[in-house]
Amino acid sequence: MPHAPSRAGTPGASDTRTPAPLPDVREPPGAAAQRPGTALVTGASSGIGAAVARRLSAEGWRLVLNGRDAGRLAETAAHAAAAVFPEDLTRPAAERRLTRFALDEVGHLDLLVACAGVGWAGDFATMTRRAFDEVMEVNLLTTLRLVRQVLPHMVEAGSGRVVLVGSLAGAVGVRGEAVYSASKAAVAVFADALRHELRGTGVGVSLVVPGVVDTPFFERRGAPYARTRPRPVPPERVADAVWRAAVRGRDEVYVPAWLRLPVRVRGVAPGLYRRLAATFG
Ligand SMILES: NC(=O)c1ccc[n+]([C@@H]2O[C@H](COP(=O)([O-])OP(=O)(O)OC[C@H]3O[C@@H](n4cnc5c(N)ncnc54)[C@H](OP(=O)(O)O)[C@@H]3O)[C@@H](O)[C@H]2O)c1
């Protein structure tokens, strides 16, 4: 059963129903940061999502947070004025309940940050059906379902932004992470297609593409990060990228930025890329 939704540090939040525009993307960063809005963040009970919640809260955004673990979600909310809605997003109609709760709490949504995700590592041939169903469902399907719920409200308001958290694995494909890579590649192409579709509506789509981030992700997937490069970055760095993508209207942000390079090499010289990948893993 989902835990009861609750509020922390948002006095009067549910009274405010007037849509507030996202900060103008042409504004300098300082000015944009002075005009925070409302945001729904998934995956906020851990790692990157929790860091995003802290960052947005520090900038003055009003938040609704989702994750499964009610205790850890409450911990995030203690550091970020927010209402919390702990629920497993794979449960039937969870995205509807979450969106309804968020709209009831903050009146409208300027920003959706879809961060919830799970990993799995190992040879594809050894992966159980249950494991790959979970990876595809959490990383791809629950994300699409939630965007489908939130988007009509943003389009009707004529403003808003969806920030999807992808992965470098979804851009180049990583050995031992075939299904995870496929799930994140699907999220990336979805972001591209949706961005085209929403042109002229006032609603934008950003894809944030982290490489390796120092979070419980690896421990939870049951396989530690074993490479030396790329070096893990702190989740706060990804949170900063999410914030920048949101307020400056960036389509795609790599964290760290140099990770765009292997993606470019793969695009222009796929043979060379495959040789390098075979040599350096
Ligand atoms: N860490 C990395 O190196 C890395 C790199 C690239 C991309 N990413 C992506 O970044 C995102 C966040 O990952 P992270 O590193 O912060 O991992 P994390 O610390 O393990 O956090 C994952 C979050 O997703 C939530 N979640 C998982 N399954 C869920 C479900 N069925 N329903 C609702 N929430 C669910 C978790 O909730 P509970 O904790 O409450 O279960 C948690 O809040 C993921 O999409 C991941 O694929 C991570």
Side-chain angles (χ1 to χ4, degrees), residues 133-149:
D133 279 0
E134 189 195 6
V135 169
M136 293 307 286
E137 179 153 27
V138 177
N139 296 356
L140 179 61
L141 297 182
T142 69
T143 301
L144 268 54
R145 289 180 199 134
L146 186 58
V147 173
R148 173 68 186 83
Q149 282 300 308

Side-chain angles (χ1 to χ4, degrees), residues 10-226:
T10 50
S14 57
D15 302 332
T16 308
R17 303 233 166 216
T18 313
L22 260 189
D24 190 318
V25 298
R26 289 161 300 186
E27 288 177 343
Q34 285 160 19
R35 299 224 323 257
T38 56
L40 168 56
V41 182
T42 71
S45 48
S46 183
I48 296 170
V52 168
R54 291 192 297 270
R55 176 65 201 260
L56 291 175
S57 177
E59 300 290 343
W61 290 66
R62 286 185 298 132
L63 304 177
V64 175
L65 307 179
N66 169 258
R68 286 177 300 192
D69 188 295
R72 280 192 274 106
L73 201 57
E75 266 173 45
T76 307
H79 300 281
V84 297
F85 192 86
E87 186 162 7
D88 185 331
L89 289 175
T90 65
R91 287 174 58 84
E95 71 283 358
R96 283 175 198 264
R97 288 189 292 279
L98 175 58
T99 304
R100 190 67 269 153
F101 175 80
L103 293 172
D104 286 347
E105 278 300 311
V106 293
H108 69 284
L109 286 170
D110 296 311
L111 175 64
L112 166 64
V113 183
C115 208
V118 292
W120 191 91
D123 288 345
F124 177 59
T126 68
M127 193 174 188
T128 63
R129 161 83 191 262
R130 189 173 168 185
F132 68 68
D133 279 0
E134 189 195 6
V135 169
M136 293 307 286
E137 179 153 27
V138 177
N139 296 356
L140 179 61
L141 297 182
T142 69
T143 301
L144 268 54
R145 289 180 199 134
L146 186 58
V147 173
R148 173 68 186 83
Q149 282 300 308
V150 168
L151 205 53
H153 300 281
M154 290 182 171
V155 171
E156 196 188 344
S159 68
R161 179 154 293 268
V162 173
V163 178
L164 303 174
V165 177
S167 169
L168 184 66
V172 294
V174 171
R175 181 180 173 173
E177 300 182 28
V179 176
Y180 179 75
S181 299
S183 72
K184 292 295 185 177
V187 168
V189 176
F190 170 70
D192 266 345
L194 192 64
R195 191 178 304 116
H196 289 308
E197 189 177 313
L198 292 173
R199 191 164 294 142
T201 65
V203 181
V205 180
S206 303
L207 180 72
V208 170
V209 187
V212 181
V213 191
D214 188 9
T215 72
F217 176 87
F218 298 97
E219 189 189 319
R220 297 176 86 180
R221 75 176 185 179
Y225 178 62

